[in-house]
Amino acid sequence: MNHLKIEVASLLLIRTEMPIKQVASESYFNDSKVFTRKFKHETGLSPTEYRTSYNIIHHNNPHVDPQIPIPKRIEDTIDYIPENGDLPTK
């Protein structure tokens, strides 16, 4: 279960600019310190380090793991989430 929570958190860290505390909360962690500890154990990086290292590569990139689920309430707040790597049509 924690692995799925970390996947959601990873996606939010890459695709949003939410504060770490909000990412923890939206990833179903009750405590941001527990979230940070478990995230670092799972990925080898703190949430901030993870965001910084992947932000350059993935920020606004429509080909970022579209299969990772995002909770519907969060999905509605993000402007565009690609489906199957498709670019938005104008």
Side-chain angles (χ1 to χ4, degrees):
M1 187 59 112
N2 279 329
H3 181 71
L4 290 173
K5 291 179 181 181
I6 298 297
E7 283 187 22
V8 171
S10 299
L11 185 64
L12 293 175
L13 289 168
I14 291 171
R15 291 192 181 172
T16 71
E17 294 185 13
M18 288 180 183
I20 302 300
K21 285 186 179 188
Q22 186 178 358
V23 169
S25 174
E26 298 294 347
S27 301
Y28 309 102
F29 283 94
N30 294 327
D31 184 354
S32 62
K33 290 181 182 183
V34 171
F35 161 69
T36 300
R37 195 170 33 246
K38 290 195 181 280
F39 190 90
K40 187 163 187 166
H41 180 264
E42 184 84 20
T43 65
L45 299 170
S46 72
T48 303
E49 293 168 337
Y50 185 88
R51 175 178 272 165
T52 303
S53 65
Y54 287 95
N55 196 25
I56 296 168
I57 298 167
H58 297 294
H59 192 61
N60 294 324
N61 183 344
H63 301 287
V64 178
D65 293 331
Q67 277 60 33
I68 299 175
I70 300 176
K72 181 69 175 152
R73 69 184 190 287
I74 299 170
E75 182 178 328
D76 293 340
T77 65
I78 300 174
D79 292 333
Y80 172 69
I81 297 176
E83 297 196 20
N84 300 322
D86 296 333
L87 296 173
T89 55
K90 292 184 178 182

PDB file of all heavy atoms in Angstrom, residues 37-65:
ATOM      1  N   ARG A  37      10.070  10.334   5.387  1.00  0.00           N
ATOM      2  CA  ARG A  37      10.909   9.190   5.757  1.00  0.00           C
ATOM      3  C   ARG A  37      10.640   7.991   4.840  1.00  0.00           C
ATOM      4  O   ARG A  37      11.559   7.371   4.321  1.00  0.00           O
ATOM      5  CB  ARG A  37      10.651   8.831   7.221  1.00  0.00           C
ATOM      6  CG  ARG A  37      11.669   7.935   7.830  1.00  0.00           C
ATOM      7  CD  ARG A  37      11.530   7.770   9.337  1.00  0.00           C
ATOM      8  NE  ARG A  37      10.170   7.812   9.851  1.00  0.00           N
ATOM      9  CZ  ARG A  37       9.687   8.778  10.648  1.00  0.00           C
ATOM     10  NH1 ARG A  37      10.449   9.776  11.013  1.00  0.00           N
ATOM     11  NH2 ARG A  37       8.450   8.734  11.082  1.00  0.00           N
ATOM     12  N   LYS A  38       9.366   7.681   4.593  1.00  0.00           N
ATOM     13  CA  LYS A  38       9.016   6.544   3.742  1.00  0.00           C
ATOM     14  C   LYS A  38       9.376   6.813   2.281  1.00  0.00           C
ATOM     15  O   LYS A  38       9.821   5.922   1.569  1.00  0.00           O
ATOM     16  CB  LYS A  38       7.538   6.207   3.875  1.00  0.00           C
ATOM     17  CG  LYS A  38       7.218   5.622   5.233  1.00  0.00           C
ATOM     18  CD  LYS A  38       5.879   4.967   5.259  1.00  0.00           C
ATOM     19  CE  LYS A  38       5.576   4.421   6.623  1.00  0.00           C
ATOM     20  NZ  LYS A  38       6.182   3.166   6.917  1.00  0.00           N
ATOM     21  N   PHE A  39       9.203   8.055   1.833  1.00  0.00           N
ATOM     22  CA  PHE A  39       9.548   8.415   0.455  1.00  0.00           C
ATOM     23  C   PHE A  39      11.047   8.235   0.233  1.00  0.00           C
ATOM     24  O   PHE A  39      11.461   7.661  -0.766  1.00  0.00           O
ATOM     25  CB  PHE A  39       9.130   9.860   0.162  1.00  0.00           C
ATOM     26  CG  PHE A  39       9.235  10.218  -1.289  1.00  0.00           C
ATOM     27  CD1 PHE A  39       8.153  10.032  -2.135  1.00  0.00           C
ATOM     28  CD2 PHE A  39      10.408  10.722  -1.827  1.00  0.00           C
ATOM     29  CE1 PHE A  39       8.245  10.348  -3.483  1.00  0.00           C
ATOM     30  CE2 PHE A  39      10.512  11.038  -3.157  1.00  0.00           C
ATOM     31  CZ  PHE A  39       9.425  10.847  -4.002  1.00  0.00           C
ATOM     32  N   LYS A  40      11.846   8.718   1.181  1.00  0.00           N
ATOM     33  CA  LYS A  40      13.299   8.590   1.047  1.00  0.00           C
ATOM     34  C   LYS A  40      13.719   7.121   1.094  1.00  0.00           C
ATOM     35  O   LYS A  40      14.607   6.701   0.352  1.00  0.00           O
ATOM     36  CB  LYS A  40      14.022   9.383   2.129  1.00  0.00           C
ATOM     37  CG  LYS A  40      15.514   9.411   1.909  1.00  0.00           C
ATOM     38  CD  LYS A  40      16.186  10.495   2.685  1.00  0.00           C
ATOM     39  CE  LYS A  40      17.642  10.555   2.275  1.00  0.00           C
ATOM     40  NZ  LYS A  40      18.303  11.752   2.715  1.00  0.00           N
ATOM     41  N   HIS A  41      13.091   6.327   1.935  1.00  0.00           N
ATOM     42  CA  HIS A  41      13.414   4.906   2.015  1.00  0.00           C
ATOM     43  C   HIS A  41      13.103   4.213   0.690  1.00  0.00           C
ATOM     44  O   HIS A  41      13.863   3.376   0.215  1.00  0.00           O
ATOM     45  CB  HIS A  41      12.623   4.255   3.158  1.00  0.00           C
ATOM     46  CG  HIS A  41      12.910   2.798   3.305  1.00  0.00           C
ATOM     47  ND1 HIS A  41      12.112   1.836   2.744  1.00  0.00           N
ATOM     48  CD2 HIS A  41      13.917   2.144   3.942  1.00  0.00           C
ATOM     49  CE1 HIS A  41      12.608   0.649   3.017  1.00  0.00           C
ATOM     50  NE2 HIS A  41      13.707   0.807   3.755  1.00  0.00           N
ATOM     51  N   GLU A  42      11.980   4.577   0.072  1.00  0.00           N
ATOM     52  CA  GLU A  42      11.528   3.931  -1.173  1.00  0.00           C
ATOM     53  C   GLU A  42      12.334   4.391  -2.388  1.00  0.00           C
ATOM     54  O   GLU A  42      12.664   3.593  -3.259  1.00  0.00           O
ATOM     55  CB  GLU A  42      10.045   4.245  -1.392  1.00  0.00           C
ATOM     56  CG  GLU A  42       9.419   3.583  -2.568  1.00  0.00           C
ATOM     57  CD  GLU A  42       8.946   2.168  -2.283  1.00  0.00           C
ATOM     58  OE1 GLU A  42       8.751   1.803  -1.118  1.00  0.00           O
ATOM     59  OE2 GLU A  42       8.763   1.434  -3.268  1.00  0.00           O
ATOM     60  N   THR A  43      12.637   5.693  -2.474  1.00  0.00           N
ATOM     61  CA  THR A  43      13.264   6.232  -3.679  1.00  0.00           C
ATOM     62  C   THR A  43      14.750   6.545  -3.530  1.00  0.00           C
ATOM     63  O   THR A  43      15.443   6.713  -4.532  1.00  0.00           O
ATOM     64  CB  THR A  43      12.567   7.537  -4.121  1.00  0.00           C
ATOM     65  OG1 THR A  43      12.764   8.540  -3.123  1.00  0.00           O
ATOM     66  CG2 THR A  43      11.089   7.312  -4.387  1.00  0.00           C
ATOM     67  N   GLY A  44      15.216   6.663  -2.300  1.00  0.00           N
ATOM     68  CA  GLY A  44      16.610   7.039  -2.076  1.00  0.00           C
ATOM     69  C   GLY A  44      16.822   8.541  -2.087  1.00  0.00           C
ATOM     70  O   GLY A  44      17.931   9.018  -1.893  1.00  0.00           O
ATOM     71  N   LEU A  45      15.750   9.307  -2.311  1.00  0.00           N
ATOM     72  CA  LEU A  45      15.818  10.773  -2.344  1.00  0.00           C
ATOM     73  C   LEU A  45      14.718  11.340  -1.465  1.00  0.00           C
ATOM     74  O   LEU A  45      13.651  10.737  -1.336  1.00  0.00           O
ATOM     75  CB  LEU A  45      15.610  11.297  -3.762  1.00  0.00           C
ATOM     76  CG  LEU A  45      16.599  10.871  -4.841  1.00  0.00           C
ATOM     77  CD1 LEU A  45      16.089  11.288  -6.206  1.00  0.00           C
ATOM     78  CD2 LEU A  45      17.954  11.485  -4.575  1.00  0.00           C
ATOM     79  N   SER A  46      14.968  12.510  -0.900  1.00  0.00           N
ATOM     80  CA  SER A  46      13.898  13.201  -0.187  1.00  0.00           C
ATOM     81  C   SER A  46      12.908  13.716  -1.234  1.00  0.00           C
ATOM     82  O   SER A  46      13.247  13.816  -2.428  1.00  0.00           O
ATOM     83  CB  SER A  46      14.464  14.371   0.621  1.00  0.00           C
ATOM     84  OG  SER A  46      14.850  15.418  -0.253  1.00  0.00           O
ATOM     85  N   PRO A  47      11.679  14.045  -0.844  1.00  0.00           N
ATOM     86  CA  PRO A  47      10.729  14.578  -1.827  1.00  0.00           C
ATOM     87  C   PRO A  47      11.266  15.806  -2.566  1.00  0.00           C
ATOM     88  O   PRO A  47      11.091  15.938  -3.777  1.00  0.00           O
ATOM     89  CB  PRO A  47       9.500  14.919  -0.984  1.00  0.00           C
ATOM     90  CG  PRO A  47       9.570  13.972   0.171  1.00  0.00           C
ATOM     91  CD  PRO A  47      11.035  13.832   0.458  1.00  0.00           C
ATOM     92  N   THR A  48      11.937  16.683  -1.850  1.00  0.00           N
ATOM     93  CA  THR A  48      12.492  17.887  -2.489  1.00  0.00           C
ATOM     94  C   THR A  48      13.588  17.521  -3.484  1.00  0.00           C
ATOM     95  O   THR A  48      13.627  18.060  -4.602  1.00  0.00           O
ATOM     96  CB  THR A  48      13.039  18.853  -1.425  1.00  0.00           C
ATOM     97  OG1 THR A  48      11.986  19.168  -0.512  1.00  0.00           O
ATOM     98  CG2 THR A  48      13.571  20.124  -2.056  1.00  0.00           C
ATOM     99  N   GLU A  49      14.476  16.615  -3.102  1.00  0.00           N
ATOM    100  CA  GLU A  49      15.540  16.173  -4.014  1.00  0.00           C
ATOM    101  C   GLU A  49      14.941  15.494  -5.243  1.00  0.00           C
ATOM    102  O   GLU A  49      15.401  15.705  -6.363  1.00  0.00           O
ATOM    103  CB  GLU A  49      16.486  15.203  -3.308  1.00  0.00           C
ATOM    104  CG  GLU A  49      17.311  15.817  -2.210  1.00  0.00           C
ATOM    105  CD  GLU A  49      18.021  14.779  -1.351  1.00  0.00           C
ATOM    106  OE1 GLU A  49      17.587  13.608  -1.296  1.00  0.00           O
ATOM    107  OE2 GLU A  49      19.009  15.167  -0.704  1.00  0.00           O
ATOM    108  N   TYR A  50      13.915  14.682  -5.025  1.00  0.00           N
ATOM    109  CA  TYR A  50      13.250  13.986  -6.133  1.00  0.00           C
ATOM    110  C   TYR A  50      12.654  14.993  -7.103  1.00  0.00           C
ATOM    111  O   TYR A  50      12.845  14.905  -8.309  1.00  0.00           O
ATOM    112  CB  TYR A  50      12.156  13.077  -5.574  1.00  0.00           C
ATOM    113  CG  TYR A  50      11.486  12.213  -6.613  1.00  0.00           C
ATOM    114  CD1 TYR A  50      12.021  10.974  -6.936  1.00  0.00           C
ATOM    115  CD2 TYR A  50      10.323  12.617  -7.248  1.00  0.00           C
ATOM    116  CE1 TYR A  50      11.413  10.160  -7.876  1.00  0.00           C
ATOM    117  CE2 TYR A  50       9.708  11.814  -8.188  1.00  0.00           C
ATOM    118  CZ  TYR A  50      10.255  10.591  -8.495  1.00  0.00           C
ATOM    119  OH  TYR A  50       9.650   9.796  -9.429  1.00  0.00           O
ATOM    120  N   ARG A  51      11.928  15.971  -6.576  1.00  0.00           N
ATOM    121  CA  ARG A  51      11.302  16.998  -7.421  1.00  0.00           C
ATOM    122  C   ARG A  51      12.365  17.757  -8.212  1.00  0.00           C
ATOM    123  O   ARG A  51      12.215  17.977  -9.406  1.00  0.00           O
ATOM    124  CB  ARG A  51      10.496  17.959  -6.566  1.00  0.00           C
ATOM    125  CG  ARG A  51       9.924  19.121  -7.368  1.00  0.00           C
ATOM    126  CD  ARG A  51       9.102  20.021  -6.513  1.00  0.00           C
ATOM    127  NE  ARG A  51       7.733  19.515  -6.506  1.00  0.00           N
ATOM    128  CZ  ARG A  51       6.804  19.889  -5.642  1.00  0.00           C
ATOM    129  NH1 ARG A  51       7.090  20.751  -4.694  1.00  0.00           N
ATOM    130  NH2 ARG A  51       5.591  19.406  -5.725  1.00  0.00           N
ATOM    131  N   THR A  52      13.431  18.135  -7.548  1.00  0.00           N
ATOM    132  CA  THR A  52      14.495  18.897  -8.210  1.00  0.00           C
ATOM    133  C   THR A  52      15.160  18.072  -9.307  1.00  0.00           C
ATOM    134  O   THR A  52      15.380  18.572 -10.411  1.00  0.00           O
ATOM    135  CB  THR A  52      15.553  19.342  -7.183  1.00  0.00           C
ATOM    136  OG1 THR A  52      14.909  20.107  -6.167  1.00  0.00           O
ATOM    137  CG2 THR A  52      16.633  20.166  -7.846  1.00  0.00           C
ATOM    138  N   SER A  53      15.465  16.820  -9.030  1.00  0.00           N
ATOM    139  CA  SER A  53      16.187  16.017 -10.015  1.00  0.00           C
ATOM    140  C   SER A  53      15.319  15.646 -11.202  1.00  0.00           C
ATOM    141  O   SER A  53      15.817  15.546 -12.322  1.00  0.00           O
ATOM    142  CB  SER A  53      16.764  14.765  -9.359  1.00  0.00           C
ATOM    143  OG  SER A  53      15.739  13.922  -8.907  1.00  0.00           O
ATOM    144  N   TYR A  54      14.027  15.440 -11.007  1.00  0.00           N
ATOM    145  CA  TYR A  54      13.160  15.047 -12.110  1.00  0.00           C
ATOM    146  C   TYR A  54      12.424  16.213 -12.747  1.00  0.00           C
ATOM    147  O   TYR A  54      11.889  16.090 -13.841  1.00  0.00           O
ATOM    148  CB  TYR A  54      12.158  13.992 -11.645  1.00  0.00           C
ATOM    149  CG  TYR A  54      12.816  12.661 -11.437  1.00  0.00           C
ATOM    150  CD1 TYR A  54      13.256  12.271 -10.179  1.00  0.00           C
ATOM    151  CD2 TYR A  54      13.034  11.806 -12.506  1.00  0.00           C
ATOM    152  CE1 TYR A  54      13.888  11.054  -9.990  1.00  0.00           C
ATOM    153  CE2 TYR A  54      13.660  10.589 -12.328  1.00  0.00           C
ATOM    154  CZ  TYR A  54      14.080  10.223 -11.071  1.00  0.00           C
ATOM    155  OH  TYR A  54      14.706   9.027 -10.892  1.00  0.00           O
ATOM    156  N   ASN A  55      12.396  17.350 -12.080  1.00  0.00           N
ATOM    157  CA  ASN A  55      11.674  18.504 -12.601  1.00  0.00           C
ATOM    158  C   ASN A  55      12.257  18.982 -13.925  1.00  0.00           C
ATOM    159  O   ASN A  55      11.526  19.345 -14.834  1.00  0.00           O
ATOM    160  CB  ASN A  55      11.684  19.628 -11.572  1.00  0.00           C
ATOM    161  CG  ASN A  55      10.649  20.672 -11.866  1.00  0.00           C
ATOM    162  OD1 ASN A  55       9.644  20.399 -12.511  1.00  0.00           O
ATOM    163  ND2 ASN A  55      10.887  21.870 -11.394  1.00  0.00           N
ATOM    164  N   ILE A  56      13.564  18.963 -14.038  1.00  0.00           N
ATOM    165  CA  ILE A  56      14.221  19.419 -15.264  1.00  0.00           C
ATOM    166  C   ILE A  56      13.827  18.528 -16.436  1.00  0.00           C
ATOM    167  O   ILE A  56      13.549  19.007 -17.529  1.00  0.00           O
ATOM    168  CB  ILE A  56      15.752  19.421 -15.086  1.00  0.00           C
ATOM    169  CG1 ILE A  56      16.137  20.437 -14.010  1.00  0.00           C
ATOM    170  CG2 ILE A  56      16.464  19.727 -16.398  1.00  0.00           C
ATOM    171  CD1 ILE A  56      17.577  20.332 -13.557  1.00  0.00           C
ATOM    172  N   ILE A  57      13.741  17.236 -16.196  1.00  0.00           N
ATOM    173  CA  ILE A  57      13.434  16.287 -17.258  1.00  0.00           C
ATOM    174  C   ILE A  57      11.950  16.247 -17.577  1.00  0.00           C
ATOM    175  O   ILE A  57      11.542  16.220 -18.733  1.00  0.00           O
ATOM    176  CB  ILE A  57      13.892  14.866 -16.845  1.00  0.00           C
ATOM    177  CG1 ILE A  57      15.394  14.854 -16.635  1.00  0.00           C
ATOM    178  CG2 ILE A  57      13.486  13.834 -17.883  1.00  0.00           C
ATOM    179  CD1 ILE A  57      15.896  13.599 -15.943  1.00  0.00           C
ATOM    180  N   HIS A  58      11.107  16.267 -16.544  1.00  0.00           N
ATOM    181  CA  HIS A  58       9.704  15.964 -16.729  1.00  0.00           C
ATOM    182  C   HIS A  58       8.734  17.138 -16.677  1.00  0.00           C
ATOM    183  O   HIS A  58       7.571  16.964 -17.001  1.00  0.00           O
ATOM    184  CB  HIS A  58       9.259  14.942 -15.687  1.00  0.00           C
ATOM    185  CG  HIS A  58       9.961  13.637 -15.835  1.00  0.00           C
ATOM    186  ND1 HIS A  58       9.795  12.834 -16.922  1.00  0.00           N
ATOM    187  CD2 HIS A  58      10.843  13.005 -15.025  1.00  0.00           C
ATOM    188  CE1 HIS A  58      10.530  11.755 -16.785  1.00  0.00           C
ATOM    189  NE2 HIS A  58      11.181  11.838 -15.649  1.00  0.00           N
ATOM    190  N   HIS A  59       9.159  18.299 -16.242  1.00  0.00           N
ATOM    191  CA  HIS A  59       8.220  19.398 -16.094  1.00  0.00           C
ATOM    192  C   HIS A  59       7.551  19.723 -17.431  1.00  0.00           C
ATOM    193  O   HIS A  59       8.199  19.982 -18.425  1.00  0.00           O
ATOM    194  CB  HIS A  59       8.925  20.633 -15.541  1.00  0.00           C
ATOM    195  CG  HIS A  59       7.985  21.694 -15.104  1.00  0.00           C
ATOM    196  ND1 HIS A  59       7.068  21.494 -14.102  1.00  0.00           N
ATOM    197  CD2 HIS A  59       7.793  22.947 -15.541  1.00  0.00           C
ATOM    198  CE1 HIS A  59       6.352  22.580 -13.943  1.00  0.00           C
ATOM    199  NE2 HIS A  59       6.778  23.480 -14.809  1.00  0.00           N
ATOM    200  N   ASN A  60       6.258  19.651 -17.436  1.00  0.00           N
ATOM    201  CA  ASN A  60       5.436  19.901 -18.631  1.00  0.00           C
ATOM    202  C   ASN A  60       5.715  18.914 -19.756  1.00  0.00           C
ATOM    203  O   ASN A  60       5.510  19.222 -20.924  1.00  0.00           O
ATOM    204  CB  ASN A  60       5.627  21.336 -19.135  1.00  0.00           C
ATOM    205  CG  ASN A  60       5.108  22.340 -18.157  1.00  0.00           C
ATOM    206  OD1 ASN A  60       4.099  22.102 -17.502  1.00  0.00           O
ATOM    207  ND2 ASN A  60       5.793  23.457 -18.033  1.00  0.00           N
ATOM    208  N   ASN A  61       6.171  17.749 -19.436  1.00  0.00           N
ATOM    209  CA  ASN A  61       6.435  16.720 -20.439  1.00  0.00           C
ATOM    210  C   ASN A  61       5.231  15.787 -20.520  1.00  0.00           C
ATOM    211  O   ASN A  61       4.899  15.117 -19.550  1.00  0.00           O
ATOM    212  CB  ASN A  61       7.689  15.934 -20.052  1.00  0.00           C
ATOM    213  CG  ASN A  61       8.079  14.899 -21.078  1.00  0.00           C
ATOM    214  OD1 ASN A  61       7.289  14.535 -21.940  1.00  0.00           O
ATOM    215  ND2 ASN A  61       9.295  14.418 -21.000  1.00  0.00           N
ATOM    216  N   PRO A  62       4.555  15.721 -21.661  1.00  0.00           N
ATOM    217  CA  PRO A  62       3.347  14.895 -21.761  1.00  0.00           C
ATOM    218  C   PRO A  62       3.616  13.401 -21.803  1.00  0.00           C
ATOM    219  O   PRO A  62       2.689  12.613 -21.830  1.00  0.00           O
ATOM    220  CB  PRO A  62       2.728  15.360 -23.074  1.00  0.00           C
ATOM    221  CG  PRO A  62       3.877  15.817 -23.883  1.00  0.00           C
ATOM    222  CD  PRO A  62       4.857  16.420 -22.891  1.00  0.00           C
ATOM    223  N   HIS A  63       4.854  12.981 -21.783  1.00  0.00           N
ATOM    224  CA  HIS A  63       5.170  11.561 -21.878  1.00  0.00           C
ATOM    225  C   HIS A  63       5.587  10.958 -20.541  1.00  0.00           C
ATOM    226  O   HIS A  63       6.240   9.937 -20.504  1.00  0.00           O
ATOM    227  CB  HIS A  63       6.274  11.338 -22.915  1.00  0.00           C
ATOM    228  CG  HIS A  63       5.885  11.834 -24.262  1.00  0.00           C
ATOM    229  ND1 HIS A  63       4.959  11.201 -25.055  1.00  0.00           N
ATOM    230  CD2 HIS A  63       6.254  12.943 -24.929  1.00  0.00           C
ATOM    231  CE1 HIS A  63       4.783  11.881 -26.164  1.00  0.00           C
ATOM    232  NE2 HIS A  63       5.565  12.941 -26.118  1.00  0.00           N
ATOM    233  N   VAL A  64       5.206  11.594 -19.441  1.00  0.00           N
ATOM    234  CA  VAL A  64       5.573  11.112 -18.115  1.00  0.00           C
ATOM    235  C   VAL A  64       4.535  10.103 -17.653  1.00  0.00           C
ATOM    236  O   VAL A  64       3.392  10.439 -17.447  1.00  0.00           O
ATOM    237  CB  VAL A  64       5.649  12.262 -17.099  1.00  0.00           C
ATOM    238  CG1 VAL A  64       5.972  11.725 -15.716  1.00  0.00           C
ATOM    239  CG2 VAL A  64       6.669  13.275 -17.525  1.00  0.00           C
ATOM    240  N   ASP A  65       4.937   8.866 -17.510  1.00  0.00           N
ATOM    241  CA  ASP A  65       4.120   7.787 -16.964  1.00  0.00           C
ATOM    242  C   ASP A  65       2.629   8.078 -16.821  1.00  0.00           C
ATOM    243  O   ASP A  65       2.131   8.195 -15.718  1.00  0.00           O
ATOM    244  CB  ASP A  65       4.652   7.385 -15.593  1.00  0.00           C
ATOM    245  CG  ASP A  65       6.010   6.761 -15.664  1.00  0.00           C
ATOM    246  OD1 ASP A  65       6.338   6.144 -16.695  1.00  0.00           O
ATOM    247  OD2 ASP A  65       6.748   6.881 -14.688  1.00  0.00           O
TER     248      ASP A  65
END
